Amino acid sequence: MSEKTIFKRIIDKEIPAEILYEDERCLAFRDVRPQGPVHFLVIPKKEIPSVNELAEEDAALAGHLFVVIRKLAAELQIHETGYRVVTNCGPNACQTVPHLHFHVIGGRSMSWPPG
Ligand code: AMP
């Protein structure tokens, strides 16, 4: 059996994280290396490695993750100034953790395109 990812270990509460939200389908926690004043990750509890493996049956789950993002952005007061939602998929995008996750970054002005 392959080793658990760091995010699966956070889901299983084997390692700590600053959890902002949790329900039966997903978890949101602060990124340990924040790229802005607010930087959190929203992940499904289901072990989906990346967008590449997202199936038709995961459509409602993917939608749910975005509703959680919207609620947390409002809670953390970045909804009016704006924020970025990013998912890295594969080596060219520098994905480091093979468990689907959405970065939500806000609290500062950002350039586009990113470097
Ligand atoms: P990515 O490069 O898109 O795969 O992003 C992985 C993100 O996970 C990075 O921003 C890391 O800082 C973050 N990260 C890695 N380990 C942890 C952890 N134990 N708790 C919170 N965030 C983490």
Side-chain angles (χ1 to χ4, degrees):
M1 209 174 89
S2 59
E3 257 183 39
K4 280 187 186 185
T5 67
I6 190 111
F7 290 174
K8 177 63 176 157
R9 295 186 67 203
I10 290 173
I11 291 167
D12 291 345
K13 308 284 159 52
E14 291 173 5
I15 58 168
E18 196 181 332
I19 294 173
L20 299 173
Y21 176 82
E22 178 167 17
D23 64 26
E24 67 289 353
R25 286 184 285 171
C26 76
L27 190 64
F29 52 94
R30 291 196 194 267
D31 196 294
V32 276
R33 290 177 56 219
Q35 304 299 311
V38 174
H39 185 172
F40 62 91
L41 303 169
V42 180
I43 69 172
K45 289 188 172 174
K46 181 176 176 182
E47 290 186 274
I48 301 168
S50 77
V51 172
N52 276 345
E53 290 78 24
L54 205 58
E56 195 62 45
E57 67 186 35
D58 299 320
L61 173 60
H64 178 62
L65 298 179
F66 272 91
V67 172
V68 169
I69 288 169
R70 190 258 293 161
K71 288 180 180 168
L72 283 173
E75 214 171 277
L76 296 171
Q77 294 292 309
I78 55 171
H79 61 308
E80 284 173 353
T81 47
Y83 53 94
R84 186 166 283 165
V85 181
V86 174
T87 187
N88 294 320
C89 181
N92 274 3
C94 301
Q95 181 180 6
T96 58
V97 181
H99 184 119
L100 179 66
H101 52 284
F102 292 99
H103 295 259
V104 182
I105 303 166
R108 67 170 172 87
S109 181
M110 287 168 272
S111 59
W112 187 262

